[in-house]
Each structure stands twice: as structure tokens, then as C-alpha cells.
């Protein structure tokens, strides 16, 4: 009994939303028609759903890179990364809908060697200009074999990126290090010799879906 059942916790950042929703539900129920209390109650249930964190095993495979987020692959493209890798690179863009788990996970085990937060505007996360103008948090991971860059990009609501890591900290593969609230996208940027194993339209899960295979000596 219980085998194969995913366990969930609620991220502490969600508590203010949930408690506010519960308070609104109670107040509306007492001060107005109880029928109207259903609206804040539904919002409260959604907040609990949105801030869920699935209990997933931490993989430990230096040969592969795992997805940094849950969502849908929007693009796989090549470009020159002049932010962290400083070489020809590949970028996989993942779009997170409001129904996806919104936490971000480390694609590989490594130390945080680069951390850059950028304030931004209010473009929807699925628009092509969003990575340039929107709020973003870029985290560069490095280990003995490789370096990767993961970029969190907020959606139409700015000031919504949460990070629980810092420069010099070691992250385990699949470890949760942050989240984006209410509509967003995540980019995984890797060296060009990494074999990408996903394509546009694929559904991926953070810490579960293998995104790429590395050339490890």
C-alpha cells in the first residue's frame, strides 16, 4: 500500500496566499452570503495546488542532465552564450503553465559559480521577447566535467522569482533551488557537444525527464 504514490508538500512561500484565501473565505462566509465564499475557497485550493512540491528522488548520474522544470519544451536552438559558458551552446526553453509544478531543480550536481538577478517588465513568458525584458534569475552550475546555465524567467507578474541558493553552494542533481510564481519559463543552456534528447512539444518533469547526455570522460 502506498507504493507508487507521489507525496507532496506545500512550499512555505505559498502559506501567505493560502492563509489569506482562508481568511477571505471565512469573512465572506460570515459577513456576506455563504454562497459567495466559494470563490475565495476555490482560490485557496488553487494556491495549495500551485505551491505543491512533489517528493522526487535525487538522481546521481554525471552522464545526463535532467530537466530543471515541469512544463512543455517550446524550443531547442543553438547560439553563442556570452553570459556564463562563453562558447557555442544549445538552449532548451521550457514553458510552465499555471497548472505545472513551478519549482526549479538542478539538472546536474555542481557548485553555483554564477548568479545574476535582473529586474524586468511584464511580457507574457511565452513571447519571444520575454527572456530579454522580463525578470530573470540566471544560475551557473559547474562540476569537474561540465558547466550549465539555468535561467528562470517570470511571466506577466514581475518580482515573482524565488531563489533558495547562493554563490558557492553545492546543489545535488535534482535538488530544488527555487521557483517562479504564476506563469513563467525556464531555459537550460548547455555546451554544444551535449546531445539533446527532447524536442519541441515534449512534456518534461523536473528531476525526472532526461534532457541531455553529456560527453563525460
Amino acid at each position: 500500500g502506498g507504493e507508487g504514490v507521489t507525496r507532496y508538500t506545500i512550499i512555505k512561500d505559498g502559506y501567505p496566499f493560502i492563509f489569506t484565501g482562508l481568511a477571505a473565505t471565512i469573512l465572506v462566509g460570515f459577513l456576506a452570503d455563504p454562497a459567495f465564499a466559494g470563490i475565495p475557497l476555490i482560490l485557496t485550493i488553487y494556491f495549495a495546488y500551485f505551491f505543491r512540491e512533489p517528493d522526487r528522488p535525487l538522481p546521481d548520474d554525471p552522464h545526463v542532465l535532467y530537466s530543471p522544470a515541469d512544463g512543455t519544451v517550446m524550443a531547442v536552438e543553438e547560439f553563442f552564450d556570452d553570459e556564463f559558458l562563453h562558447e557555442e551552446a544549445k538552449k532548451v526553453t521550457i514553458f510552465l503553465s499555471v497548472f505545472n509544478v513551478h519549482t526549479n531543480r538542478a539538472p546536474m550536481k555542481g557548485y553555483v559559480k554564477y548568479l545574476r538577478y535582473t529586474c524586468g517588465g511584464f511580457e507574457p513568458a511565452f513571447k519571444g521577447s520575454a527572456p530579454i525584458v522580463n525578470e530573470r534569475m540566471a544560475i551557473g552550475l559547474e562540476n569537474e566535467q561540465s558547466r550549465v546555465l539555468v535561467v528562470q524567467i517570470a511571466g506577466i507578474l514581475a518580482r515573482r522569482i524565488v531563489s533558495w541558493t547562493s554563490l558557492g553552494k553545492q546543489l545535488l542533481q535534482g535538488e530544488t533551488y527555487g521557483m517562479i510564481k504564476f506563469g513563467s519559463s525556464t531555459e537550460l543552456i548547455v555546451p554544444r557537444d551535449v546531445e539533446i534528447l527532447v524536442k519541441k512539444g515534449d512534456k518534461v518533469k523536473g528531476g525526472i525527464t532526461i534532457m541531455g547526455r553529456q560527453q563525460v570522460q
Side-chain angles (χ1 to χ4, degrees):
E3 290 186 11
V5 176
T6 302
R7 297 181 185 276
Y8 293 90
T9 55
I10 295 177
I11 299 165
K12 66 179 186 300
D13 294 80
Y15 292 160
F17 292 89
I18 295 167
F19 291 149
T20 300
L22 284 174
T25 301
I26 294 169
L27 285 173
V28 171
F30 276 106
L31 302 179
D33 190 326
F36 292 118
I39 296 172
L41 179 60
I42 290 171
L43 276 174
T44 303
I45 294 170
Y46 172 72
F47 288 144
Y49 172 77
F50 181 87
F51 286 98
R52 70 197 186 282
E53 168 71 343
D55 181 18
R56 294 174 179 170
L58 297 179
D60 188 13
D61 187 344
H63 295 88
V64 298
L65 297 171
Y66 283 83
S67 177
D70 288 27
T72 304
V73 176
M74 297 296 290
V76 179
E77 51 196 321
E78 295 188 358
F79 78 119
F80 186 89
D81 176 55
D82 57 6
E83 182 171 11
F84 178 63
L85 300 182
H86 302 292
E87 62 178 284
E88 294 292 335
K90 293 176 181 175
K91 177 171 65 178
V92 181
T93 302
I94 303 165
F95 174 70
L96 292 72
S97 79
V98 292
F99 299 108
N100 287 124
V101 171
H102 267 57
T103 50
N104 290 112
R105 294 172 180 263
M108 70 178 192
K109 182 179 180 180
Y111 289 93
V112 178
K113 295 291 188 179
Y114 177 81
L115 201 61
R116 183 182 181 188
Y117 172 79
T118 306
C119 293
F122 300 89
E123 289 288 333
F126 57 81
K127 289 191 67 174
S129 59
I132 300 171
V133 301
N134 277 23
E135 177 190 11
R136 69 196 292 274
M137 173 72 85
I139 293 179
L141 282 178
E142 183 176 339
N143 59 28
E144 298 81 7
Q145 292 91 22
S146 185
R147 296 191 302 161
V148 301
L149 182 67
V150 184
V151 184
Q152 301 165 285
I153 303 167
I156 58 175
L157 298 172
R159 306 292 296 179
R160 289 293 182 262
I161 292 177
V162 181
S163 178
W164 304 307
T165 191
S166 56
L167 275 174
K169 182 179 179 180
Q170 185 182 46
L171 295 178
L172 300 177
Q173 192 173 44
E175 181 179 351
T176 301
Y177 69 83
M179 76 172 300
I180 322 170
K181 302 175 188 175
F182 309 118
S184 53
S185 61
T186 300
E187 295 176 343
L188 174 63
I189 298 166
V190 302
R192 197 158 76 171
D193 62 359
V194 172
E195 178 189 3
I196 300 299
L197 303 176
V198 295
K199 62 184 184 304
K200 183 178 180 180
D202 285 355
K203 305 291 185 183
V204 295
K205 288 190 174 185
I208 292 179
T209 305
I210 296 176
M211 301 283 280
R213 192 172 303 281
Q214 301 196 87
Q215 306 298 321
V216 178
Q217 301 298 323

